[in-house]
Amino acid sequence: MKKRPSIKKRRTKNDVNSGISSVDQSNHESVECISSSLSMNIESIKKRTGHSPDIKFRKVDIGKNSGMKSVIVYVQGLVDEITVTDFIIESIMNSPRFSSEIMPQEAIGIISEEVVSMGGITTEEKWDSLYLSLLSGDTVIFVEGSNVALIASTQGGETRSIQESTTNTVVRGPKEGFTESITTNIAMVRRIINNPDLWVESMKIGSVTNTDVSIMYINGIAEKKIVGEIRSRLKKINIDSVLESGYIEQLIEDGTMTPFPTLHNTERPDVVAGTLLEGSIAIFVDGTPFVLLGPALFIQFFQSPEDYYNRFFIASATRFLRIFVFIISLIGPALYVAVTTFDQSMIPTQLLIMIAAQRESVPFPAIVEALIMEVMFEILREAGLRMPKAIGSTISIVGALVIGQAAVQAGIVSPAMVIIVSITAIASFATPSYSMAISARLLRFVFMISAATFGTYGIIMVFILVLVHLCSLRSFGVPYMSPLAPLIPSEVGDTVVRRPLSGRKARPKLTTADNKIREGEHQKPQAAKDTGMVNAFYQKRGKRGSK
Amino acid sequence: MNRTIFFLIVIGTILLSGCWNKRELTDIAVVSALAIDKNEEGKYVGTFQVINAGNIASGEQGGGGENAPIRVFSATGESLIQMSRNAAAKMPRQLFYEHVKLLVISEELAKNEGINTIFDSLDRSPNFRITTRVVLARDTEAANVVKVLTAIEKLPSEGIIKTLKSAETMQGETVTVDIHAIMNALRSPGKEPVISAFTLKGDEKSGERIQSIQSTTLDANLQAKGIGVFKEGKLIDWLEDDAASGTVWALNKIQRTVMTLDWENEIDAVALEVIRQNTGVTIEMISGKPKISIEIRAEGDIREVKNQLDLSHPNILMNIEKKLGKKLKTEIEDAILRAQENKSDIFGFGEMVYQDYPEEWKKIKADWQDVHFPELKVDVKTDIFVRQTGLRNKPYFSDFE
């Protein structure tokens, strides 16, 4: 609880230091509104933006012979330049609608209503919002003599196209993943949920970056109180910048003192859609393909979209496997340490002898050996992430040789330990959610140390502590471990196992509002009673047979 | 503030308390078998078979096979615990008893002193597993049994247990018992324990050397030999061959054995491999005296025929069944008679009486072994069924004439 204000304080200090806000302040007070003089407006923008060359000013005469002048301002790269030339500059220049009698104020109206054939066009008098629009890719049109500016939405420019998501890949299911553009991302979800009840609210967060943040929910399904809570938490954020949704996540989560993520994130529109249908709220942040989903439950981090696309036997089996594997990645090395140093009587004799023979020449106690190997693996993993791709293979060869071969041959570690560390490493990648996998990575060391001090008893102790901690967590007021704790029997069917879709009658109770029914009655598939669907020959034979 | 202090205390206890009961694998000596003898001074002599891990698992370190997989040493003491303390003084590592697979007790010790004191110590020990198998050393010192190296199984104790098990299932003349079963029998007034015995054939000195298992024939070989019968914790008799087999039948521990039958002057002409059997024991009270009826139903395949028997003929098969049944009946009756002569209820009939007639049992409990069991009427019924005759009916040589 103490952490948050201190962060805020530091951020505001940065603001002052950078000098941005001081300029901001002076401008605010002196000229708040647009002047009617073109040159003054141009000058004002140039001064405010520090003569940045990517802000383009295009002087255009209105009509062929009206004698009125206008300036079109846009930021190069943020706008779709073809739209600006074709639909704004050209139509204003060539419009026959203007004559010398027309007053500047009228001209504004004519341009927006009759000349520019574009979708979004609004008027603006205040500098503040004008800058926001300009810098987010809109085009501003000033007319000589008018203190109102037109803003045409021309957002465009280069963005990454929709590609397959890299973090949540599936075999079956849609392949597309979110991009860095918030409008594209929102549209991708809209394309899946074709319903007017899909509501989006927008806001700008970050006193310097002015990042677009949107929340999306399904009206009637999402619990109003939770929506309100998320909205107010977002509004409370006062920070200079939002560079990724992680910023938002860390500022709105229920508590910071936990290794477990209390907000889900995904790169996949189908996951967002599926979670929205269970009453969650999605938070989109411009500039990142990772969309936040809250309230998040512990079990959600083990759900893969594929669970719902595959038939339930397979889905249940893989779900079960994932939870089992998560436990391995948590306590794998710890169990090895505990069993070999405390509870040797738990191992079958033959196995004990094998392990003992391998450890005969290892100079370290089991825990030190385990820590060496785990740290070594963490180093390799971190290095593998950071290094340039071109030398990746070098590192992996060196790593494999150092960890796998040389360390064993040098007698520094035992082969059994290598097996344990590798299975743990592989296990940690089987968790669908990266943020849950890395929390297991951290807790693993806690388990190892307690195992080295108290043996299996220590593992159980820490396990209980972690369980108690998990049960105490809340995500936007919703118990983190629900529907297991508190137990909601009707929803347990989508936790460790996933029951058939035909049995999924209602939405989760804790997170949904009025609209709770998911499916109608009699959804269980049934075999056809008559054979009318098969071909006539078979039918005839069947009839004769029955006689 | 209080929370911080509390937290520090918790952290402190975790980090400063040291490592309770921590034993690295390189600090323990895994004892795989323990032999108990008694020397002339009346002291226990324990022979510890310690696994030499580096020599068993042929891993990266090489080794494996060049040196003996076990190291044997002995220690004496007035009591078992004393003996174990004395042994610790001879080992660089802590003796680790949790993996003791085999306990060998010498014949002399079992006969003269009995096994009660030994088992009290084992029962009390938190380290000994009650699943540890127990055998007797017959005609040799117990120490020799754990000193000998075995072929095929690298770990001699494992070898002995597997031999015992395979003898039990394939031959049916031994029983595999563990500490738990013996403790139960010792405790109960209505049951006496039986323990299988091992003997050493060959030169015991050369059996200890690694060279002995480098050749195709072994200089010293361990062999299961008979079942020891106990009374009041002391060894009183050995059961062998038919007596042993009948006992194992009556104990319902037969799994797969071979029964043979003489036929028209040919000895062991027909061999039946028993594939499943069930021994049911029922008790009746007739005028205050229990009467036992044993009913055995066995089923098997004919696996060997020396005569020209036409096994496709049902009469012949039924005849075989009847004769085999009769043979089995006498075998079991002899075994029971022998037990009655020994006045040792190794079958646990007393226990069954206790379970079915607890009131009557109270009256006869005190002198069950000496008075009531020897006078017990036992009725044995056998029913043998030939399921198959192997892959053919008539022997192939029956067409030769």
Side-chain angles (χ1 to χ4, degrees):
Chain A
M1 288 315 274
K2 278 177 190 165
K3 275 261 152 67
R4 216 177 281 168
S6 72
I7 289 175
K8 217 185 277 174
K9 225 177 274 168
R10 209 175 62 226
R11 292 290 183 203
T12 35
K13 218 158 112 199
N14 273 356
D15 279 1
V16 176
N17 287 349
S18 68
I20 292 170
S21 62
S22 58
V23 175
D24 197 23
Q25 232 103 75
S26 66
N27 263 357
H28 258 275
E29 279 143 31
S30 57
V31 229
E32 217 174 65
C33 291
I34 299 167
S35 113
S36 53
S37 150
L38 262 189
S39 52
M40 270 182 76
N41 283 336
I42 293 173
E43 209 40 51
S44 160
I45 292 176
K46 278 191 173 162
K47 199 179 151 200
R48 184 74 177 79
T49 57
H51 296 271
S52 302
D54 58 332
I55 295 172
K56 299 291 178 195
F57 300 89
R58 177 75 163 80
K59 292 193 174 107
V60 175
D61 285 346
I62 300 179
K64 287 235 162 67
N65 40 22
S66 71
M68 274 192 294
K69 290 199 184 307
S70 72
V71 169
I72 289 160
V73 190
Y74 62 88
V75 183
Q76 196 179 24
L78 286 184
V79 299
D80 184 9
E81 298 218 21
I82 295 169
T83 320
V84 175
T85 7
D86 287 3
F87 296 101
I88 301 176
I89 300 179
E90 201 185 320
S91 17
I92 291 176
M93 275 174 149
N94 296 337
S95 173
R97 187 60 188 75
F98 298 99
S99 64
S100 47
E101 292 98 63
I102 291 171
M103 298 299 289
Q105 270 76 10
E106 290 174 63
I108 292 284
I110 293 169
I111 291 173
S112 75
E113 282 159 26
E114 299 174 35
V115 178
V116 178
S117 51
M118 280 184 57
I121 191 150
T122 50
T123 56
E124 191 56 69
E125 296 172 17
K126 299 263 165 49
W127 279 117
D128 269 356
S129 33
L130 187 137
Y131 279 121
L132 278 183
S133 312
L134 177 66
L135 295 169
S136 58
D138 289 345
T139 302
V140 181
I141 306 164
F142 293 106
V143 174
E144 176 74 66
S146 163
N147 57 354
V148 178
L150 276 176
I151 293 171
S153 88
T154 53
Q155 286 172 6
E158 290 296 317
T159 51
R160 192 166 65 98
S161 61
I162 297 176
Q163 285 165 338
E164 191 170 341
S165 88
T166 47
T167 52
N168 319 77
T169 44
V170 293
V171 175
R172 178 170 183 183
K175 303 281 183 198
E176 58 177 16
F178 286 127
T179 70
E180 278 74 13
S181 158
I182 189 169
T183 45
T184 318
N185 293 350
I186 291 174
M188 279 162 83
V189 179
R190 273 224 189 268
R191 226 173 271 148
I192 298 174
I193 305 177
N194 198 341
N195 195 306
D197 279 331
L198 183 70
W199 287 8
V200 179
E201 288 175 24
S202 254
M203 60 191 78
K204 285 198 187 285
I205 299 180
S207 58
V208 176
T209 57
N210 283 312
T211 312
D212 278 317
V213 175
S214 295
I215 59 176
M216 181 191 264
Y217 55 93
I218 301 177
N219 183 36
I221 292 179
E223 179 63 64
K224 286 248 159 51
K225 280 179 197 155
I226 300 178
V227 178
E229 178 66 27
I230 290 186
R231 195 187 292 129
S232 71
R233 284 194 198 176
L234 285 173
K235 290 251 162 71
K236 237 174 65 188
I237 296 177
N238 182 4
I239 187 173
D240 65 335
S241 57
V242 176
L243 299 183
E244 212 273 336
S245 53
Y247 279 60
I248 304 283
E249 179 180 353
Q250 291 170 56
L251 291 173
I252 65 169
E253 62 190 356
D254 283 48
T256 47
M257 295 305 283
T258 172
F260 293 99
T262 50
L263 266 106
H264 197 26
N265 67 65
T266 182
E267 244 188 309
R268 300 177 54 87
D270 56 333
V271 172
V272 171
T275 326
L276 289 181
L277 286 165
E278 289 183 346
S280 284
I281 292 104
I283 303 169
F284 292 79
V285 177
D286 198 21
T288 175
F290 290 94
V291 173
L292 298 176
L293 292 164
L297 308 179
F298 180 71
I299 202 74
Q300 273 182 345
F301 294 92
F302 299 95
Q303 297 172 344
S304 159
E306 240 176 327
D307 289 357
Y308 303 94
Y309 307 151
N310 281 328
R311 298 178 57 255
F312 91 100
F313 281 115
I314 290 102
S316 300
T318 46
R319 184 77 67 78
F320 196 80
L321 178 82
R322 265 181 235 136
I323 290 167
F324 174 67
V325 152
F326 179 72
I327 291 172
I328 289 185
S329 77
L330 262 185
I331 63 172
L335 206 58
Y336 176 80
V337 169
V339 162
T340 53
T341 50
F342 288 88
D343 307 290
Q344 293 95 345
S345 48
M346 283 173 69
I347 322 175
T349 314
Q350 294 287 340
L351 183 62
L352 179 78
I353 294 163
M354 292 286 289
I355 297 173
Q358 291 170 8
R359 295 209 21 84
E360 210 63 34
S361 59
V362 176
F364 303 113
I367 174 67
V368 176
E369 194 189 352
L371 282 175
I372 289 175
M373 288 302 287
E374 280 294 334
V375 169
M376 204 121 90
F377 171 69
E378 293 296 333
I379 292 170
L380 271 185
R381 165 140 89 174
E382 196 61 21
L385 275 178
R386 310 279 160 243
M387 75 196 152
K389 267 190 189 142
I391 55 165
S393 54
T394 322
I395 294 292
S396 52
I397 289 168
V398 169
L401 285 178
V402 166
I403 283 198
Q405 280 300 125
V408 170
Q409 274 178 357
I412 294 172
V413 293
S414 58
M417 195 67 231
V418 176
I419 296 172
I420 297 287
V421 169
S422 353
I423 192 71
T424 313
I426 294 166
S428 71
F429 290 113
T431 311
S433 161
Y434 182 67
S435 40
M436 185 54 88
I438 51 177
S439 65
R441 193 169 144 188
L442 201 66
L443 282 175
R444 183 151 74 224
F445 287 91
V446 180
F447 273 101
M448 273 158 68
I449 287 165
S450 73
T453 342
F454 293 111
T456 27
Y457 167 70
I459 295 180
I460 291 164
M461 204 168 64
V462 176
F463 205 85
I464 291 171
L465 275 179
V466 169
L467 211 59
V468 167
H469 172 70
L470 276 173
C471 290
S472 76
L473 283 180
R474 296 279 182 282
S475 177
F476 298 101
V478 178
Y480 196 50
M481 284 304 273
S482 70
L484 297 170
L487 185 72
I488 303 170
S490 60
E491 287 163 30
V492 175
D494 193 12
T495 52
V496 183
V497 294
R498 180 186 75 75
R499 69 165 163 215
L501 281 186
S502 57
R504 199 172 59 155
K505 299 261 183 262
R507 294 178 211 287
K509 276 179 197 159
L510 293 181
T511 48
T512 48
D514 323 319
N515 183 345
K516 286 199 190 297
I517 310 297
R518 290 208 88 148
E519 60 186 24
E521 294 296 313
H522 313 300
Q523 291 302 298
K524 199 174 171 190
Q526 273 171 348
K529 285 208 176 73
D530 69 319
T531 54
M533 284 172 291
V534 297
N535 70 41
F537 171 72
Y538 178 83
Q539 236 179 349
K540 245 187 248 163
R541 244 182 41 179
K543 268 179 196 160
R544 204 181 295 147
S546 68
K547 271 174 201 166
Chain B
M1 207 56 217
N2 270 336
R3 275 182 71 173
T4 328
I5 290 167
F6 175 73
F7 190 68
L8 283 176
I9 289 171
V10 170
I11 290 286
T13 46
I14 290 173
L15 295 181
L16 302 176
S17 60
C19 303
W20 164 82
N21 205 16
K22 180 172 176 261
R23 287 168 301 194
E24 287 290 336
L25 279 179
T26 44
D27 299 336
I28 59 173
V30 181
V31 181
S32 66
L34 173 63
I36 302 172
D37 286 293
K38 202 140 199 198
N39 63 8
E40 292 87 34
E41 297 162 34
K43 279 185 179 176
Y44 288 113
V45 182
T47 309
F48 299 80
Q49 188 190 79
V50 174
I51 299 176
N52 203 344
N55 289 335
I56 283 215
S58 46
E60 287 288 328
Q61 284 77 26
E66 287 169 24
N67 299 311
I70 49 164
R71 193 67 79 220
V72 177
F73 66 98
S74 52
T76 55
E78 289 292 345
S79 61
L80 284 192
I81 189 78
Q82 187 76 47
M83 187 182 86
S84 149
R85 295 285 163 233
N86 290 342
K90 294 184 178 178
M91 265 311 275
R93 294 183 181 184
Q94 196 182 337
L95 286 168
F96 189 76
Y97 292 105
E98 269 94 329
H99 281 281
V100 173
K101 292 266 174 200
L102 185 73
L103 177 70
V104 187
I105 300 169
S106 80
E107 191 181 354
E108 301 301 311
L109 178 61
K111 247 182 206 159
N112 303 332
E113 196 192 288
I115 52 174
N116 279 336
T117 43
I118 298 175
F119 276 84
D120 175 73
S121 170
L122 297 178
D123 190 34
R124 270 175 215 289
S125 163
N127 298 326
F128 253 88
R129 293 236 177 121
I130 55 169
T131 51
T132 305
R133 301 282 200 279
V134 184
V135 295
L136 296 172
R138 193 171 170 190
D139 304 331
T140 179
E141 275 176 34
N144 292 333
V145 175
V146 297
K147 278 180 191 165
V148 169
L149 293 170
T150 51
I152 300 173
E153 288 295 330
K154 273 191 175 172
L155 211 54
S157 57
E158 198 77 27
I160 291 174
I161 290 164
K162 284 190 178 170
T163 312
L164 201 59
K165 273 186 187 165
S166 78
E168 186 185 8
T169 52
M170 304 313 284
Q171 191 191 21
E173 288 174 17
T174 51
V175 281
T176 318
V177 284
D178 53 20
I179 292 185
H180 182 65
I182 294 172
M183 287 301 301
N184 273 348
L186 285 174
R187 239 187 22 209
S188 160
K191 196 172 183 184
E192 289 291 346
V194 283
I195 305 176
S196 286
F198 262 81
T199 188
L200 191 68
K201 290 265 168 73
D203 179 15
E204 57 200 42
K205 270 290 151 214
S206 64
E208 294 168 19
R209 283 191 207 96
I210 190 75
Q211 286 85 349
S212 85
I213 57 167
Q214 281 173 343
S215 58
T216 51
T217 51
L218 300 182
D219 292 340
N221 207 353
L222 286 170
Q223 199 179 324
K225 194 188 178 192
I227 300 174
V229 178
F230 283 75
K231 184 176 167 65
E232 286 158 5
K234 284 186 181 172
L235 178 69
I236 53 163
D237 193 14
W238 290 108
L239 302 178
E240 271 177 75
D241 301 330
D242 281 359
S245 158
T247 306
V248 180
W249 271 102
L251 283 169
N252 193 13
K253 280 195 172 169
I254 287 281
Q255 288 171 40
R256 303 189 77 161
T257 186
V258 173
M259 294 165 72
T260 54
L261 189 63
D262 304 344
W263 193 275
E264 292 171 2
N265 306 328
E266 189 86 45
I267 293 170
D268 292 349
V270 180
L272 179 94
E273 188 189 21
V274 176
I275 50 171
R276 62 184 79 90
Q277 66 89 28
N278 188 37
T279 307
V281 180
T282 46
I283 292 167
E284 271 178 288
M285 272 294 177
I286 297 168
S287 60
K289 288 199 170 173
K291 181 176 177 269
I292 310 278
S293 11
I294 301 176
E295 219 165 297
I296 293 176
R297 211 195 121 77
E299 199 180 306
D301 301 347
I302 291 183
R303 298 304 294 269
E304 206 173 308
V305 177
K306 288 180 185 168
N307 280 26
Q308 292 181 3
L309 281 173
D310 183 6
L311 294 179
S312 59
H313 206 286
N315 278 346
I316 292 182
L317 275 186
M318 268 148 84
N319 209 351
I320 290 175
E321 286 173 358
K322 218 178 271 171
K323 283 188 176 174
L324 277 171
K326 213 172 170 189
K327 195 185 170 199
L328 181 60
K329 186 179 156 136
T330 38
E331 209 171 86
I332 294 170
E333 279 171 349
D334 288 350
I336 292 173
L337 212 63
R338 178 93 168 254
Q340 285 176 329
E341 280 164 13
N342 285 332
K343 295 183 178 176
S344 167
D345 180 8
I346 51 178
F347 307 102
F349 290 147
E351 210 155 73
M352 291 174 212
V353 176
Y354 166 58
Q355 278 162 14
D356 290 0
Y357 302 95
E359 285 306 312
E360 284 86 343
W361 173 245
K362 275 183 197 160
K363 288 178 226 155
I364 54 175
K365 185 168 123 183
D367 39 3
W368 168 258
Q369 301 284 359
D370 293 321
V371 181
H372 296 281
F373 175 67
E375 291 171 2
L376 194 66
K377 279 218 167 97
V378 181
D379 182 23
V380 181
K381 269 186 211 157
T382 53
D383 177 14
I384 308 282
F385 176 67
V386 176
R387 172 70 65 190
Q388 286 167 3
T389 57
L391 295 181
R392 60 162 53 238
N393 283 327
K394 285 186 209 170
Y396 71 94
F397 48 76
S398 62
D399 303 332
F400 285 178
E401 288 114 90

